[in-house]
Amino acid sequence: MRLYYHPLSSCSRRVLLVARHLGIPLELISVDLFRGEQNTPPFLKLNPNHQVPVLEDDEYVLWESYAIMQYLAELAQDQSLHPETAQQRADASRWMFWCGQHLMPAISSLNWENSIKGMAGLGLAIQTEVARAEAMFVEACQVLDTHLVGREWISGSRLSLADLAIAAPLGDWHRAKLPLMQFSQIGRWFQQIQALDCWQETEQAPS
């Protein structure tokens, strides 16, 4: 299987976290987002949305990182990250969808304004946009922080796809200047994630 990805993409990282945790080998093909390779005709045949990651499994092509995570867990017949009961799976999926709807828009905006624009030479952060995204981020994290009171993991009693899905974009907290440190329950939970082998194996050296 091939994974088209970018090393700074947190959406790519959440897929890599699952693959490393489950021991699934992937051929990694880097897509240079800064040079616009995601907009070229060959890539658009894989994903018309111009985004990484994309998984290619023989003739089957799958985009959207959350779907790829679930697919890899299904292939591995794994019932630790992806439990067997309908309610347990729905609960993990609920938090993955929450991440995409509530947390990722805020993180993406802060990452763009505080980090990526500078890397790409696109000027300074727009402070009104930073303030708007910070407010979105705080509102989402208040929900997660409250949920984690008395819980070791986000969904169920052990590590699940939901934990890896949500942790991946938080890995950019320093570069993106995410106001994360005020949330004690998230901090406790995030330390557990950072201790995982799969997290350490996918960690990028700071630039």
Side-chain angles (χ1 to χ4, degrees):
M1 287 188 289
R2 298 184 183 90
L3 184 72
Y4 296 82
Y5 85 117
H6 189 278
L8 294 181
S9 161
S10 59
C11 292
S12 297
R13 187 178 189 184
R14 63 168 56 103
V15 172
L16 291 173
L17 287 168
V18 173
R20 294 294 177 89
H21 186 78
L22 297 177
I24 298 175
L26 296 175
E27 177 187 350
L28 299 181
I29 300 176
S30 181
V31 178
D32 193 332
L33 303 180
F34 291 100
R35 295 182 59 187
E37 290 182 358
Q38 72 276 21
N39 301 316
T40 61
F43 185 81
L44 291 176
K45 289 182 180 179
L46 297 170
N47 186 357
N49 300 296
H50 309 258
Q51 294 178 335
V52 293
V54 178
L55 184 74
E56 192 175 38
D57 185 7
D58 291 329
E59 296 183 358
Y60 180 60
V61 176
L62 182 63
W63 33 265
E64 292 298 328
S65 59
Y66 305 108
I68 298 172
M69 294 173 74
Q70 290 181 332
Y71 180 71
L72 293 178
E74 293 278 2
L75 285 184
Q77 297 183 333
D78 173 72
Q79 293 182 353
S80 58
L81 289 183
H82 199 42
E84 61 182 346
T85 73
Q87 289 187 358
Q88 289 171 327
R89 290 193 182 198
D91 189 64
S93 294
R94 178 250 302 273
W95 281 103
M96 293 165 73
F97 298 154
W98 173 87
C99 180
Q101 181 68 24
H102 298 281
L103 190 63
M104 282 301 295
I107 294 178
S108 295
S109 292
L110 289 171
N111 209 10
W112 173 258
E113 294 295 336
N114 292 329
S115 179
I116 296 173
K117 283 176 74 172
M119 291 186 208
L122 297 175
L124 300 176
I126 300 172
Q127 292 307 311
T128 54
E129 179 60 21
V130 170
R132 183 193 68 84
E134 284 183 348
M136 291 171 55
F137 179 81
V138 168
E139 183 177 3
C141 284
Q142 286 171 341
V143 172
L144 180 59
D145 204 60
T146 299
H147 172 74
L148 283 169
V149 173
R151 291 182 171 90
E152 187 176 7
W153 303 104
I154 289 175
S155 179
S157 60
R158 58 188 178 186
L159 179 75
S160 73
L161 293 178
D163 295 290
L164 299 181
I166 292 172
L170 294 179
D172 292 329
W173 74 272
H174 182 71
R175 275 195 300 258
K177 301 179 182 179
L178 303 179
L180 183 63
M181 301 309 292
Q182 60 187 288
F183 299 103
S184 60
Q185 297 299 322
I186 295 176
R188 169 190 56 77
W189 161 81
F190 193 45
Q191 285 184 338
Q192 294 179 150
I193 298 291
Q194 291 174 305
L196 296 173
D197 289 343
C198 63
W199 183 271
Q200 296 177 26
E201 290 167 4
T202 59
E203 186 78 295
Q204 291 291 320
S207 56

